[in-house]
Amino acid sequence: METNYRKLLDQMIAPYDEMLQILISDHVDFSKVDYLEQHSEEYGKSDANYTNRLKVLLAMYNREDRDSPHYEPIVRRLLVNEIIDRETNSFQGIGDALYYAVFLLQKYEREQDQVLFQQAKKANFDTYAGFDPALILETYLFSKDTADLEDCINIASELGEDVYLSLFIDLWIREQTDWNKENLRTLVYHERWRNQAEGEIEALKKLAEMEKTEGNHHNYCSTASNLAEKFIETGRLNEAWETMGTIIPLITKEEEWFLYGLGRNIITACIHIILHFGAESRQATSLWQTIKGILQPAANNMGTNQYQLAVSASKFMGDTELEQKLLRIRKQRQ
């Protein structure tokens, strides 16, 4: 099994060495790794070349001659461009590339690079709070010589290597000899990373069944709520409604359940199901009876999207009085 995933890893990173070779050749071309601003409605401003830069840094880090002088100007340029990304990225963040670039450049012990390291530290709120150039531990950096299968899954996900990510996850699944709550939770994330909705649903089903058998009602409600959301996301609204039917008798036993994150998620799932089946349906009627009395006290703890859903549901169900109360709360919050 180890040979299989290591062979896959070698295949995955071989093109990264080719990318690095271009940067040290006579026909050097930095256009694929220099900062390239892009915009999207969902993610705002980001760098189209971030992943390429990380791939080159990984290739350099995993070479035996990584401290050679001919790499110095390359890694410095990569760090400068990574700092630009950290300073301008709408999501801010730290990013793995920053760790590798700083770690590699520190090896040359140039006093003038201290300015760059401080710029990296101060690039944004996340780097200022969670990044220290002096405390980068090599044990936490990805090395192909010591990587295990979980490491391979994580780095493939970070690099957007969807084909290899799926292959690594398949190998990981084959290694599991006994399913328990811990590896089922891991499987949920793995399936989510590779956009396998059916796999994620099956993992959530097994996990929910285990927690139900154990009698931990809160944990069961949390997992079953995630399952219901996945059913809604994939258009399986009947199954979502049936799942909510097992959650509601348990969650409503908890005092002020609607004020917490899990409760708000359950409310949101109920509203999506109500809107799907229609105001006159038995599904909508039963779920509305559960949530209509708690929407007003829950409203102050809701985010904007949840709040708008609550207003829409009140209007949809013909509860004008509740709709107006919620609208008044919104005006008070503005």
Side-chain angles (χ1 to χ4, degrees):
M1 186 65 68
E2 178 175 300
T3 302
N4 287 339
Y5 84 76
R6 289 197 179 279
K7 282 183 178 179
L8 285 175
L9 179 60
D10 286 339
Q11 291 172 18
M12 186 181 82
I13 66 177
Y16 309 166
D17 283 311
E18 296 174 9
M19 294 170 65
L20 175 58
Q21 200 62 40
I22 292 174
L23 301 185
I24 58 178
S25 69
D26 294 335
H27 306 288
V28 60
D29 179 8
F30 284 94
S31 64
K32 301 295 185 183
V33 294
D34 281 348
Y35 179 80
L36 180 61
E37 186 174 303
Q38 65 180 1
H39 296 262
S40 76
E41 195 170 308
E42 183 177 2
Y43 297 110
K45 186 188 297 184
S46 63
D47 180 8
N49 283 338
Y50 168 78
T51 300
N52 286 340
R53 195 160 52 249
L54 177 56
K55 288 176 179 178
V56 169
L57 287 163
L58 279 170
M60 195 184 305
Y61 175 78
N62 281 283
R63 285 195 170 187
E64 291 184 3
D65 67 339
R66 67 187 184 193
D67 299 333
S68 297
H70 58 274
Y71 292 133
E72 183 179 350
I74 296 173
V75 69
R76 184 173 291 110
R77 180 166 180 158
L78 294 172
L79 177 57
V80 168
N81 281 274
E82 184 59 24
I83 290 171
I84 295 172
D85 186 15
R86 293 307 102 209
E87 290 176 337
T88 59
N89 195 294
S90 296
F91 275 66
Q92 299 195 1
I94 300 175
D96 287 350
L98 194 67
Y99 287 96
Y100 290 96
V102 170
F103 177 85
L104 289 167
L105 193 58
Q106 283 176 334
K107 295 297 182 180
Y108 297 102
E109 299 181 339
R110 309 295 186 195
E111 184 63 32
Q112 67 266 29
D113 288 331
Q114 293 301 319
V115 174
L116 283 179
F117 300 148
Q118 287 306 306
Q119 286 179 345
K121 171 70 175 174
K122 298 175 182 178
N124 61 50
F125 177 83
D126 294 323
T127 56
Y128 189 80
F131 178 74
D132 190 336
L135 296 177
I136 300 176
L137 300 178
E138 191 166 4
T139 53
Y140 294 111
L141 300 180
F142 181 87
S143 169
K144 69 176 185 179
D145 295 327
T146 60
D148 60 21
L149 192 46
E150 281 281 3
D151 294 329
C152 293
I153 290 171
N154 291 333
I155 200 68
S157 177
E158 172 71 13
L159 293 168
E161 293 280 9
D162 294 341
V163 172
Y164 286 102
L165 172 63
S166 194
L167 291 170
F168 287 136
I169 291 174
D170 285 340
L171 290 175
W172 179 86
I173 290 172
R174 288 179 213 165
E175 282 192 350
Q176 308 310 306
T177 57
D178 181 39
W179 288 105
N180 52 54
K181 291 194 297 183
E182 183 177 354
N183 58 14
L184 279 171
R185 288 191 186 102
T186 301
L187 180 59
V188 169
Y189 286 109
H190 287 347
E191 297 289 28
R192 189 175 302 162
W193 289 351
R194 63 173 176 175
N195 295 314
Q196 291 290 332
E198 289 305 315
E200 186 178 346
I201 285 171
E202 289 306 311
L204 285 167
K205 281 182 177 178
K206 291 177 183 177
L207 182 57
E209 190 59 37
M210 282 187 183
E211 289 172 339
K212 187 176 184 180
T213 301
E214 287 182 355
N216 189 321
H217 292 164
H218 188 84
N219 285 350
Y220 169 75
C221 289
S222 178
T223 301
S225 174
N226 291 335
L227 177 58
E229 289 174 5
K230 203 67 190 178
F231 280 140
I232 292 169
E233 181 184 318
T234 53
R236 294 161 62 170
L237 276 296
N238 272 313
E239 290 169 277
W241 177 63
E242 291 168 359
T243 302
M244 294 306 298
T246 69
I247 297 172
I248 288 169
L250 300 175
I251 195 67
T252 51
K253 290 179 181 178
E254 297 188 15
E255 188 175 350
E256 297 187 326
W257 63 272
F258 46 85
L259 297 181
Y260 307 103
L262 173 58
R264 294 195 299 274
N265 290 342
I266 290 171
I267 291 170
T268 299
C270 287
I271 292 173
H272 281 304
I273 296 169
I274 287 169
L275 296 176
H276 171 79
F277 282 104
E280 302 301 323
S281 67
R282 63 191 178 94
Q283 293 92 340
T285 300
S286 65
L287 294 179
W288 186 244
Q289 288 299 319
T290 299
I291 67 171
K292 70 174 184 178
I294 53 87
L295 283 182
Q296 186 177 345
N300 285 325
N301 287 24
M302 288 181 175
T304 302
N305 291 339
Q306 288 177 320
Y307 188 87
Q308 290 173 343
L309 265 180
V311 174
S312 297
S314 302
K315 183 177 182 179
F316 185 76
M317 295 302 294
D319 196 328
T320 305
E321 182 180 354
L322 178 57
E323 179 191 359
Q324 292 304 313
K325 287 180 179 178
L326 292 174
L327 289 172
R328 282 196 293 271
I329 292 173
R330 181 165 65 183
K331 286 182 180 179
Q332 293 170 2
R333 292 171 59 179
Q334 289 175 343

